[in-house]
Amino acid sequence: MSILVYIEQAEGSIKKTSLEAVSFARALADKTNGGEVVAVALGTVSEAELSHVGAAGASKVFHVEDSKLDAGVIQAHAEAVAQVYQKVGSKTLVMAKSSLGDAVAARLAIKLDAALVSNVVELPETDNGYTVKRSIYTGKAFAQTSVTKEHKILAIRKNAVDLKTDGAKASVEKVSLQIPDTNFATKITSTDKATGEILLPEADIVVSGGRGMKGPENWGMIEDLAKELGAATGCSKPVSDIGWRPHHEHVGQTGVKVAPTLYIAVGISGAIQHLAGVNSSKFIVVINKDPEAPFFKAADYGIVGDAFEVLPKLTEAVKAIK
Amino acid sequence: MKILICITHVPDTTSKIQFTDNNTKLDKNGVQFIIGPYDDYALARAVELKEQLNATLTVLNVGEAETEPTLRKALAIGADDAIRVNAFPKDSQFVAEQIAAIAKQNNYDLIMMGRESIDFNGGMVHGMVGELLGIPSISPVMKLEIEGDKVKMAREIEGGKEYLEAKLPLVAGCQEPIAEWKIPNMRGIMSARTKPLTVVEPASQNVATEVINFQLPPAKGTVKLVDKDNVAELVRLLKNEAKVL
Ligand SMILES: Cc1cc2nc3c(=O)[nH]c(=O)nc-3n(C[C@H](O)[C@H](O)[C@H](O)COP(=O)(O)OP(=O)(O)OC[C@H]3O[C@@H](n4cnc5c(N)ncnc54)[C@H](O)[C@@H]3O)c2cc1C
Ligand SMILES: Nc1ncnc2c1ncn2[C@@H]1O[C@H](COP(=O)(O)O)[C@@H](O)[C@H]1O
């Protein structure tokens, strides 16, 4: 029985989080019945890019090469994935949790009469029934959830499994689908997107600044460190509220929830609503001039000091080990 | 113009989350319940649309009697009437079916929700309702303007936003900065007491998932502090001890 993975692309490249979803599906197949992992990609993507999906663990990619699907039109994507799922005869669909993934998964759950579990953090237990561990209360807890429906959709959180890179090349099969026009009733008129940046939800390292950075003119220091580390930049809510940084960088309860291997917080106090967005990080480093800042309680490593002195030194020290 | 706003009744964002009954129930001791922060954004934008378009606003919650103060608060902020579907919100599919059943009876032009509930963080009820009703669902929406039957929206995507247009009816999962949270005033609080709050029984009982138990993450150890004059030591620890560089 094949597991289908919905892979997302941006400007023709496949998202890393989607590749993780492929590796998750591969590990799940190994754990259960050893079936195939097949992926579905929508829109314009090069053949070479698609065959990379093999390295992550898929043996085959169905490519719906319809340029109308380049944009993430939620209903159209849901319809396309549903059709491929039925064609494959799969019973499990895996995808990365994302802005588009969530919206598409919800519609698919109804279309496919499937149980949808979101925020999945590890492989399901399948020995006795089917239970899935998912993150709830914005990372403050987990729920063991049992799934009784035959069809299952798992939306997985970053770092739920290690990305596999040693798989064979995947074969690519082009499929053309009839997607009724009603699915394109929502028109994307334009997008406004930072290019070349490392995206926050996908980043392995995040450097975040808070109100302690004093003003947008000081963000160069955050960016320098981020660049040296190959990291994405984030911020606290007040920083995006005042407009020092764009909204999509705001981390926390009401912002982006990140799950990097390393989160570096500079001049952020560590309010519970901020911590809610970062408590899935593997390691947390806090730089704050106040030794009593609550963030130190959630940190693995810390420096009590002035960000304006520590940051340039830290950037130099990172350079030195390269 | 009829707008439905679906709200959750969830622990305040500062709550310490703990469980009782063998980790099968949330420990409500000392927990303050609020309108979900994203639902609050949806409601705030709906109140603005009401002023602009002379709309009527209905708020809806699927929950047991304890959620009524939260519904009353939404009435105080500006909703005209409230509906409570009298059932424990067992899972997203269950909740979505209740909302869709109410929507089918009342033909709302616009259904507004939060991008996600802050208890289960599914981010899926809006999409399910959209599919059940056969209308578009858009989330997370950061801007929403109505011009005639046209809706202009901005949706957050990784690293930016996309602008889109659709026709009513539709479902929107909202987030900031769609509007500023509104605080009820005295007049609102007074009038909320007499606004209608209807209780209805669930239309179906289907569920797709069931929580077996809850777990808390392992406690963090104590922080390892590095002297501010020895920053290289931090990099060494990250490289050799944590092995993240
Ligand atoms: C419903 C709700 C939802 C919320 N959601 C979020 C959310 O998603 N994300 C979020 O971040 N917040 C959120 N908040 C806000 C949150 O409560 C805090 O107000 C916010 O996180 C504080 O931001 P900050 O740490 O940048 O600023 P502050 O609390 O002002 O902290 C600044 C810190 O910088 C330090 N500092 C100052 N100068 C220096 C220096 N030179 N060098 C080093 N350190 C320095 C200070 O010691 C202090 O600890 C929410 C609040 C509510 C009510
Ligand atoms: N029990 C409920 N009653 C009413 N609306 C709900 C309920 N649960 C979720 N919603 C709505 O659906 C949105 C998304 O919830 P979720 O899919 O659980 O993250 C929330 O922000 C609410 O607007």
Side-chain angles (χ1 to χ4, degrees):
Chain A
M1 182 61 60
S2 306
I3 299 178
L4 183 67
V5 182
Y6 164 49
I7 51 182
E8 280 183 67
Q9 53 124 335
E11 283 92 45
S13 18
I14 289 165
K15 286 191 171 181
K16 191 179 161 214
T17 42
S18 292
L19 294 176
E20 279 187 18
V22 170
S23 296
F24 185 97
R26 183 64 259 157
L28 178 58
D30 290 342
K31 185 174 171 167
T32 48
N33 51 23
E36 253 194 312
V37 171
V38 296
V40 51
L42 309 176
T44 315
V45 198
S46 74
E47 193 114 345
E49 181 74 12
L50 288 172
S51 64
H52 288 326
V53 175
S59 52
K60 187 170 190 175
V61 185
F62 291 99
H63 184 202
V64 187
E65 201 184 16
D66 179 345
S67 61
K68 271 170 47 196
L69 295 169
D70 286 352
V73 181
I74 294 162
Q75 270 172 292
H77 274 231
E79 177 61 25
V81 176
Q83 288 187 23
V84 174
Y85 182 88
Q86 261 136 9
K87 177 181 150 78
V88 173
S90 180
K91 291 206 163 62
T92 309
L93 177 68
V94 174
M95 62 174 74
K97 194 172 164 55
S98 74
S99 168
L100 181 62
D102 288 351
V104 169
R107 297 196 75 109
L108 278 166
I110 301 298
K111 275 184 196 291
L112 304 172
D113 190 21
L116 167 56
V117 189
S118 186
N119 266 312
V120 175
V121 296
E122 54 188 47
L123 288 176
E125 289 298 335
T126 52
D127 290 342
N128 185 5
Y130 196 101
T131 56
V132 191
K133 184 172 174 177
R134 65 187 164 125
S135 165
I136 55 168
Y137 289 106
T138 327
K140 290 183 203 166
F142 299 100
Q144 283 289 356
T145 305
S146 89
V147 183
T148 41
K149 284 206 171 177
E150 184 185 11
H151 292 279
K152 299 167 183 81
I153 303 176
L154 307 178
I156 66 164
R157 204 184 62 186
K158 194 174 152 23
N159 282 334
V161 290
D162 289 331
L163 179 63
K164 186 175 145 75
T165 53
D166 60 353
K169 247 178 141 96
S171 66
V172 179
E173 183 180 326
K174 302 239 180 288
V175 280
S176 62
L177 306 174
Q178 294 298 325
I179 301 169
D181 279 346
T182 48
N183 293 289
F184 291 97
T186 318
K187 297 252 172 329
I188 297 173
T189 50
S190 65
T191 49
D192 174 1
K193 198 174 157 196
T195 48
E197 253 181 44
I198 297 168
L199 295 178
L200 195 51
E202 310 197 350
D204 285 323
I205 304 182
V206 174
V207 184
S208 255
R211 211 142 50 175
M213 289 304 297
K214 305 287 189 279
E217 66 280 6
N218 298 322
W219 239 262
M221 277 184 226
I222 297 274
E223 279 161 350
D224 287 347
L225 177 61
K227 199 164 157 230
E228 219 43 65
L229 291 166
T233 54
C235 66
S236 65
K237 183 171 188 288
V239 164
S240 73
D241 285 350
I242 329 163
W244 293 358
R245 301 297 296 173
H247 184 270
H248 66 258
E249 284 198 3
H250 139 213
V251 170
Q253 178 110 45
T254 49
V256 181
K257 284 101 195 161
V258 296
T261 46
L262 177 61
Y263 186 81
I264 304 180
V266 189
I268 303 178
S269 57
I272 192 161
Q273 295 98 347
H274 187 82
L275 297 182
V278 306
N279 49 21
S280 302
S281 310
K282 277 207 185 116
F283 289 93
I284 294 177
V285 171
V286 168
I287 299 167
N288 197 303
K289 69 172 186 190
D290 174 10
E292 301 298 322
F295 220 144
F296 283 117
K297 289 206 177 67
D300 300 281
Y301 301 100
I303 294 181
V304 178
D306 186 337
F308 301 101
E309 282 169 33
V310 175
L311 270 178
K313 286 188 194 163
L314 187 55
T315 307
E316 282 311 309
V318 172
K319 246 184 219 161
I321 61 155
K322 282 213 175 140
Chain B
M1 174 94 183
K2 285 163 68 177
I3 305 178
L4 178 71
I5 306 105
C6 302
I7 63 167
T8 53
H9 163 89
V10 288
D12 166 44
T13 55
T14 58
S15 305
K16 189 168 176 185
I17 298 300
Q18 282 173 314
F19 302 100
T20 61
D21 290 32
N22 263 329
N23 286 322
T24 57
K25 285 206 177 85
L26 178 73
D27 182 354
K28 293 182 186 163
N29 232 320
V31 173
Q32 273 257 34
F33 282 82
I34 56 167
I35 300 176
Y38 296 108
D39 316 342
D40 225 357
Y41 284 120
L43 179 60
R45 183 65 191 134
V47 170
E48 293 172 358
L49 292 172
K50 172 179 166 171
E51 280 155 21
Q52 183 194 326
L53 304 164
N54 201 12
T56 57
L57 311 184
T58 301
V59 279
L60 167 67
N61 171 260
V62 180
E64 292 171 320
E66 60 176 4
T67 72
E68 288 194 5
T70 302
L71 279 169
R72 289 275 174 216
K73 183 166 176 214
L75 292 171
I77 289 173
D80 300 295
D81 66 331
I83 301 173
R84 181 171 69 82
V85 177
N86 184 30
F88 181 77
K90 293 179 211 131
D91 75 351
S92 318
Q93 182 170 338
F94 176 82
V95 170
E97 286 189 8
Q98 309 317 320
I99 297 174
I102 303 265
K104 272 183 192 152
Q105 291 162 17
N106 296 292
N107 289 315
Y108 299 102
D109 300 286
L110 175 63
I111 303 179
M112 299 177 80
M113 306 194 190
R115 74 171 287 175
E116 67 180 34
S117 57
I118 63 160
D119 47 5
F120 289 128
N121 311 107
M124 48 209 202
V125 168
H126 26 73
M128 289 178 170
V129 170
E131 187 66 33
L132 286 167
L133 297 174
I135 60 176
S137 53
I138 298 108
S139 176
V141 176
M142 354 171 38
K143 187 169 164 279
L144 186 149
E145 305 282 348
I146 298 183
E147 293 166 17
D149 67 345
K150 213 189 265 171
V151 190
K152 291 190 173 169
M153 288 164 283
R155 182 171 99 74
E156 184 155 280
I157 55 174
E158 284 79 12
K161 26 183 141 151
E162 75 189 11
Y163 297 90
L164 30 94
E165 271 182 32
K167 289 218 161 109
L168 292 173
L170 58 82
V171 187
C174 306
Q175 71 168 37
E176 64 176 359
I178 196 163
E180 298 258 339
W181 284 324
K182 297 204 168 17
I183 298 160
N185 58 27
M186 210 49 207
R187 220 183 90 223
I189 294 168
M190 296 304 287
S191 66
R193 293 190 191 154
T194 52
K195 285 179 180 172
L197 190 163
T198 316
V199 179
V200 300
E201 292 306 313
S204 62
Q205 295 292 343
N206 305 327
V207 292
T209 59
E210 192 189 341
V211 173
I212 307 171
N213 61 46
F214 298 107
Q215 295 163 10
L216 292 173
K220 267 270 180 201
T222 44
V223 57
K224 209 174 239 187
L225 289 178
V226 174
D227 193 90
K228 68 176 174 16
D229 296 319
N230 192 9
V231 173
E233 171 65 6
L234 174 64
V235 176
R236 199 192 61 77
L237 286 167
L238 291 174
K239 188 171 157 67
N240 300 333
E241 193 178 82
K243 298 192 169 52
V244 289
L245 294 185

